[in-house]
Amino acid sequence: MAPKHHPTPLSGGDRKALAKELGRSRAMTTILAGQAAEARAKGEALIRQADKLLGESFNERLWSDGGPIDPSPTVDQAINGGFAWLAIECSRCKTRRDVDLAALRHPPTTFVHDLASRLRCSKCAKAGRRPSATLLQLMSRPRQAVPET
């Protein structure tokens, strides 16, 4: 967009007044842009906090009710809330696994509870079976592997 053209007034006093008003306008632009950035940062922090609370609520409902909960957070909301991992368990062989939500090839708008029917156990797949997974909880990081003795 081309800058707006302000015709230069003929008298000296009017030129000074125009220059002063243009300076005030440019200063106000900087102030308003700073306030907008600050408000956006506050809004993003509030959205992040809301996504974290949504993930914690989902974990509590999952623990208390014991099954996939609808509605659940989307994959994008879970990652934004700090829950980048999903603990699952095979419904057949009871093998537990942690799934990185960011590495999934699903749209970020996919609900977490929809993943239960899509995730499969790799051990059972080798045996020719395809049981669905049971959701355990959303996690901020994967569980540490227990050293075998």
Side-chain angles (χ1 to χ4, degrees):
M1 184 172 179
K4 187 172 182 180
H5 175 70
H6 297 284
T8 306
L10 296 177
S11 71
D14 290 341
R15 282 193 306 265
K16 288 179 188 176
L18 177 63
K20 189 175 182 180
E21 287 300 317
L22 288 174
R24 283 184 187 157
S25 175
R26 290 183 184 114
M28 186 55 74
T29 301
T30 306
I31 291 169
L32 292 175
Q35 288 176 351
E38 184 180 317
R40 182 172 307 279
K42 284 181 185 177
E44 289 171 356
L46 287 173
I47 290 172
R48 196 173 309 111
Q49 182 182 6
D51 289 343
K52 181 179 180 185
L53 292 172
L54 185 62
E56 290 173 357
S57 170
F58 177 74
N59 279 342
E60 291 297 323
R61 284 186 294 146
L62 196 61
W63 181 80
S64 64
D65 295 344
I69 308 298
D70 181 20
S72 64
T74 64
V75 172
D76 210 18
Q77 288 173 330
I79 292 170
N80 189 37
F83 298 102
W85 292 85
L86 176 65
I88 61 171
E89 180 180 71
C90 176
S91 59
R92 181 176 172 268
C93 67
K94 303 300 182 201
T95 302
R96 292 183 178 215
R97 194 176 88 187
D98 298 336
V99 178
D100 184 7
L101 292 176
L104 290 177
R105 292 185 300 160
H106 295 287
T109 56
T110 302
F111 289 101
V112 172
H113 75 272
D114 287 340
L115 296 176
S117 61
R118 298 178 187 177
L119 298 173
R120 305 286 182 207
C121 176
S122 57
K123 285 173 119 180
C124 292
K126 290 177 185 173
R129 294 184 169 76
R130 307 254 320 145
S132 61
T134 303
L135 302 180
L136 298 177
Q137 70 177 3
L138 289 169
M139 302 180 304
S140 58
R141 60 178 180 260
R143 293 178 299 219
Q144 296 295 325
V146 178
E148 296 180 12
T149 55

